[in-house]
Amino acid sequence: MIKTAAVVGAGVSGMQAALSLADRGVKVFLIENTSSIGGIMARLDKTMPTLDCSICILSPFMLAVARNPMIEIMTLCDVVGAIKTEHGYNLEVLKRPRYVDLEKCTGCRDCMAKCPGKVIMPFEENFGRIKAIRFDFDQAIPAVPYIDKDACLYFSKGICGNCVKFCQKGAIDFEQQEETLNLEVGGVFLATGSRPYLPFDKTEYGYGRYKNVITAMELERLLSASGPTSGHVIRLNDKKEPKKIAFINCVGSRDLRTNRGYCSKVCCMYGIKEALLVKDHDPEARVTIFYIDIRASGKGYEEFYQRAKNSIRFIRGRPGELLELDNGDLLLRYEDTESQQPMEEVFDMVVLNSALVPSEGSEQLAKMFGIPLNEYGFFDAGGDPASPISTDNDKVFIIGACQGPNDITDCVSQSIGAVAKTYSIYGDVVERESKELPGTDKENPRVGVFVCHCGKNIGKYVNMDEIVEYAKTLPDVVYVEDSLFTCSESGQKSIKEKIQELDLNRVVVAACSPKTHENTFQEALVEAGLNPYMLEMANIRNQCTWVHSDCENESTEKSKDLIRMAVSKARLLDPLFEREVDVRQSCVVIGGGVSGMASAVELSRSGFEVSLIEREDHLGGKSYVTDPKYREIAKHLIDSVTSDENIRLYLSSQIVHVDGFVGNFDLTLDTPNGEVNANAGTFIIATGYDFADPSVDGYVIGGPVIAEEELVRMMDEERLAGKDFTFILCAGVRNKAHPECSRVCCISALRQIKRIQDTVPDANITVLYQDIRAYGYYEDIYRQVSENGARFIRYSPDSLPSIDANSKSVGVYDTTSSRTLKIGFDLCILERGAIPSRGTNELRQLFKASAAPTGFFAEAHLKLAPLDTAIDGVFIAGACQYPKTVEESLSQAISSAGRAGIIMGSGKYKVQPTTASIDEAKCVACGLCEKLCPYKALKMSEDGKHMEVIEVSCKGCGTCAAFCPSNAISMKGFTYQQEKEKIKALLRGVAK
Amino acid sequence: MSFEPRIVAFLCNWCSYGAADMAGTSRIQYPPNVRVIRFMCSGRIDPNFVLEAFLRGADGVMMTGCHIGDCHYIDGNYKTANRYEFLKHYLDILGIGADRLQLEWCSAAEGLKFAQSVTAFTERIRALGPNPLKEGGK
């Protein structure tokens, strides 16, 4: 058994898969062909629909990958060969030279400042010069630049060499050569993603010819504060701010002419996001989006779209062509499908919302690992929804957008599922070694101060001798040293030696940022036998010499202040320890639909005990309303669940009480046999959805007006009569009561329509819709049923169709022909939307979990933690989060089981050392902290006399400590005394 | 000697401290009057810390955090925003003046914004003159 894995591609999917595998004790080689991990998400300005700063939420994630001892990041690497072995694969990896030594480089960027290299990227050149030695983006990891050989004067002309001259670490190495590495791995996880299509062959839009036609990805870089224009949107030809901007949707997707019939799923939403950001940057800008359907079918997407309508103009139509005018403006010709008139309009800038297409190299990888490609060139998972990432090859898995266009949420969710595969490949849990942190004497502080020159980055801008002499005068400081690079091997060696030699028990490092280097120095402390939390850093580089480089006196004074502050806090530092709590190896799954059953089966397969709770007297949830294909899956799952000894089934039962915390929950069940007490290590909530009530929209079910489930029954029982069928979409949703889009009804309707077309050849099918949201490959079904004659009529939410059941007709105002139509039917099928299932609120309160505005369960983070709730150990799966298709639900259910499995697998849950703690004597039990804590990490003691911290749930934000009116809460690592001392030290001698 | 304001800035680890670091990597210059104290979350900024700084002679205090909606700890910055409002009120009552306290949201990609806010705030405090508590002597 080889307990190693290769993850190919280090975008958000690859990183998540790597973290999940590492959490299970699998050693991961994370192979990335660019110079940094991060993928497309690292290049985005914001993410939709929350407008989170993309790099802000991704950076901590990237750092977690970089710091994980089980993950080896291999950048500038390509898999070039693969030989299947008995235990997995023998991979041949080609490592391209970076020309900068990863070990030696400190990321100071002196080389970049001195590099005269020219630009090569056609897009960026109009905005600024790109250096030959560079980062692809500011927050790159590894934080070491690379040399672009094509742009480098040394490589092209044998001259320059500035980077060598100015690098104080001697980290530049022009002699680096390509290397071939061999890796033995047990499994291969391909997460190569997709890439934005460059629409050169859509010649009608003039991309590449017209200066002011750019792609959405390029606009994203312009919007980004760390992009080439520092966040200014300007035109390429005259650098003016565009005042009138058009976005064109579906460029290169839903487009058979470019052989891309699929919908790219993300473009509608990123287009709206960018449009809003443009407005945010320049409120006077006028923005128009040209669209076919707005596919706002994720959580919060529809609400985001509706909000955008206030400030963005939406025109339904696909522009036919663009013409460039002399001043760089663009004449856009289109047919307004609502007025059916040919129109012309001039814009300052046109943004093409281009498709996502397969990553380069997909074909070679597919060939290498024997994975079929679908007709669009993406990896084909084979279409078994019950195993969403598996291929025919049992050692190779495909994750994320390499299967087809996908958004961040769904990629992350799917990638966590990689962990479930570790059980089949790697067998039993691999024990991780847990290190005991050394303790440290609290009394008698002996502080050592280590000041770093960072080459010249610090040393050049301050009077170092003065700083060193000053530090020696500070209280309890017994040793001060300055070195060229404190982070280097020799610098760290010196820290360790001095700790031991001089019995230091506090260390202050005055150098760069704790965000990048705290870990490095903490490790040095541990190696020298000191508790890692006895370290305090003074950031005299990023926040001093680099930003005050023309005032040596002030920089020197500020450095002295920062060191004095650090020493003052260091004297009061306490050793902190990681505790572990035992975790029960059992999971309670709530909800016996496909999601809950899939989670239960997956958990059982991984060796955990499962209790499956269903309030109805049967399993299967809403699978009865779907296609026979999905009902087969449900039936199979029911068989598995009922025959599985590891799964205890509680039908007609509900949870009435929950207590405890991750790893140690206690619960009470109300069952037909009375109350049952049980316990659990983790929970998975999979309570699904209910149908919206169509009567709020004036639709009444009865007679020839039926819900989809009745149609399904009719077809199953072969009693479908008549040939005129009218579908009404969005019944009961996208209205005031339920403004959200239910995501699944369009797709479900299209499947039923296809089934009717297959069985009733002369059927007349009419679909009344607002937008057809057939995202991704579902577009193929939409196209098929349209080609087979289904008629689609678009109505406006302001004028809903009116059904007359007696005359079997429906009146509708057709927004395309601007006429009111009367359509006769034999059957009128209502596609009811989805709303939170009944009881969701009560269940939420039992767990103290939060809700989204729509009433569905809220996840911890929509993009990066879609399966977690804010409560540790409680996960969500399927449509209780927001409506999902069966495929999506199954994929998430398997992943949630994986998440729960990671916690239970090792039997221990690590409590982070920096938590809040309560001084019981001071606490007056007011309960304010309990209300404030978003993680429910505080509770009243049993005797009601004081509050208690549930350390395992605490994330260490310190909000409770800041608010405690009786100062009874101490935030470890940032205590009141420590911080007050720091403020005092900062302002010493000021108040006279 | 001209008046050089002493400014204390409380930064959150995830966003605004990242912005300050980025101002550094981008070598964006700003006045050297500010001293940074890092917390994990802006929610940790105890009102007493702000008052302590003023009582000890700080001329201005900045509270910074992630943009609303971006908080690493879900909603710590909402609480910071509320606290900022009442602190301003108290600073007026105490005669220190609400103008001497500034709340700023900076994402980890907004090095420039961080530098600009520090610059603008430093200039504002320079114009306001020294912390009035200092003049009375303590």
Side-chain angles (χ1 to χ4, degrees), chain A residues 930-943:
Chain A
E930 185 178 8
K931 290 197 192 84
L932 288 169
C933 179
Y935 305 105
K936 315 296 170 207
L938 293 130
K939 63 167 190 185
M940 188 70 71
S941 65
E942 271 185 15
D943 59 11

Side-chain angles (χ1 to χ4, degrees), chain A residues 107-251:
Chain A
C108 78
R109 306 183 185 211
D110 280 352
C111 52
M112 289 161 64
K114 303 293 180 189
C115 173
K118 279 246 176 144
V119 202
I120 41 137
M121 283 161 82
F123 170 71
E124 305 257 8
E125 80 175 334
N126 299 289
F127 295 99
R129 296 152 68 87
I130 285 192
K131 304 290 187 169
I133 185 162
R134 63 168 182 256
F135 291 100
D136 281 337
F137 54 96
D138 267 306
Q139 297 81 357
I141 288 180
V144 172
Y146 68 99
I147 293 176
D148 180 339
K149 211 172 161 183
D150 297 332
C152 174
L153 292 174
Y154 177 83
F155 284 106
S156 58
K157 299 192 178 136
I159 54 171
C160 186
N162 272 1
C163 47
V164 179
K165 273 176 248 160
F166 287 94
C167 178
Q168 299 157 36
K169 288 276 288 177
I172 311 288
D173 181 5
F174 288 137
E175 304 305 315
Q176 278 185 7
Q177 300 294 327
E178 271 184 2
E179 282 177 74
T180 306
L181 309 169
N182 284 299
L183 303 177
E184 287 279 343
V185 295
V188 177
F189 297 79
L190 299 175
T192 48
S194 52
R195 66 180 171 87
Y197 160 64
L198 290 175
F200 289 110
D201 51 357
K202 295 289 291 176
T203 50
E204 64 271 35
Y205 295 148
Y207 178 74
R209 284 181 293 130
Y210 303 161
K211 282 250 172 184
N212 297 324
V213 176
I214 63 174
T215 65
M217 192 62 200
E218 290 164 345
L219 179 63
E220 195 85 45
R221 296 305 299 150
L222 292 186
L223 286 164
S224 169
S226 48
T229 57
S230 304
H232 293 293
V233 179
I234 50 173
R235 307 214 300 177
L236 281 86
N237 71 326
D238 52 15
K239 312 282 183 281
K240 280 189 193 154
E241 286 185 5
K243 290 289 168 195
K244 215 176 153 207
I245 302 175
F247 287 80
I248 302 178
N249 273 4
C250 302
V251 175

Side-chain angles (χ1 to χ4, degrees), chain A residues 96 147 197 445 579 711 892:
Chain A
R96 282 170 282 129
I147 293 176
Y197 160 64
R579 280 204 309 120
L711 174 74
Q892 199 193 5

Side-chain angles (χ1 to χ4, degrees), chain A residues 46 50-53 55-57 59-60 107-110 138-139 224-226 230 457 512-515 518 539 541-551 554-555 557-558 561-562 564-565 569 860 870 931-935 955-963 967 969 971 974-976 979-980 982-984 986-988 990-992, chain B residues 6-18 20-50 52-59 67-76 79-80 82-83 86 106-112 133-138:
Chain A
K46 299 279 194 307
T50 49
L51 296 184
D52 268 318
C53 160
I55 194 69
C56 298
I57 55 176
S59 272
C108 78
R109 306 183 185 211
D110 280 352
D138 267 306
Q139 297 81 357
S224 169
S226 48
S230 304
N457 283 298
C512 50
S513 174
K515 277 184 76 98
E518 195 170 53
N539 189 342
R541 187 187 73 175
N542 299 44
Q543 297 181 8
C544 187
T545 55
W546 273 355
V547 288
H548 317 307
S549 33
D550 53 355
C551 42
E554 284 83 352
S555 296
E557 285 310 312
K558 182 168 175 177
D561 285 356
L562 293 174
R564 184 174 70 241
M565 290 159 68
K569 180 170 174 181
K931 290 197 192 84
L932 288 169
C933 179
Y935 305 105
K955 301 269 183 261
C957 67
T959 301
C960 54
F963 270 91
N967 231 344
I969 305 181
M971 181 57 230
F974 297 88
T975 68
Y976 187 74
E979 301 308 321
K980 189 175 154 184
K982 218 172 182 180
I983 297 168
K984 269 166 72 177
L986 194 173
L987 296 162
R988 183 168 303 157
V990 172
K992 274 276 151 42
Chain B
R6 284 287 217 171
I7 292 169
V8 182
F10 297 107
L11 272 58
C12 80
N13 182 62
W14 303 103
C15 293
S16 51
Y17 199 89
D21 276 353
M22 194 189 157
T25 51
S26 320
R27 311 293 202 274
I28 303 167
Q29 304 292 303
Y30 56 83
N33 304 58
V34 68
R35 307 283 182 270
V36 163
I37 293 181
R38 176 178 71 119
F39 293 129
M40 293 314 280
C41 178
S42 65
R44 175 69 187 101
I45 308 174
D46 190 322
N48 285 322
F49 293 150
V50 176
E52 188 75 40
F54 281 119
L55 290 174
R56 293 191 176 271
D59 301 301
H67 283 277
I68 286 295
D70 285 7
C71 179
H72 190 80
Y73 301 100
I74 302 179
D75 58 4
K79 294 155 191 161
T80 311
N82 287 339
R83 197 170 314 157
F86 89 68
C106 289
S107 82
E110 289 176 333
L112 182 63
L133 294 185
K134 266 196 293 197
E135 293 176 342
K138 209 179 80 150

Side-chain angles (χ1 to χ4, degrees), chain A residues 639-660:
Chain A
D639 289 345
S640 308
V641 164
T642 45
S643 63
D644 191 322
E645 286 178 1
N646 275 338
I647 302 177
R648 190 175 304 184
L649 193 57
Y650 294 94
L651 292 174
S652 308
S653 301
Q654 291 194 59
I655 297 187
V656 290
H657 181 74
V658 180
D659 203 5

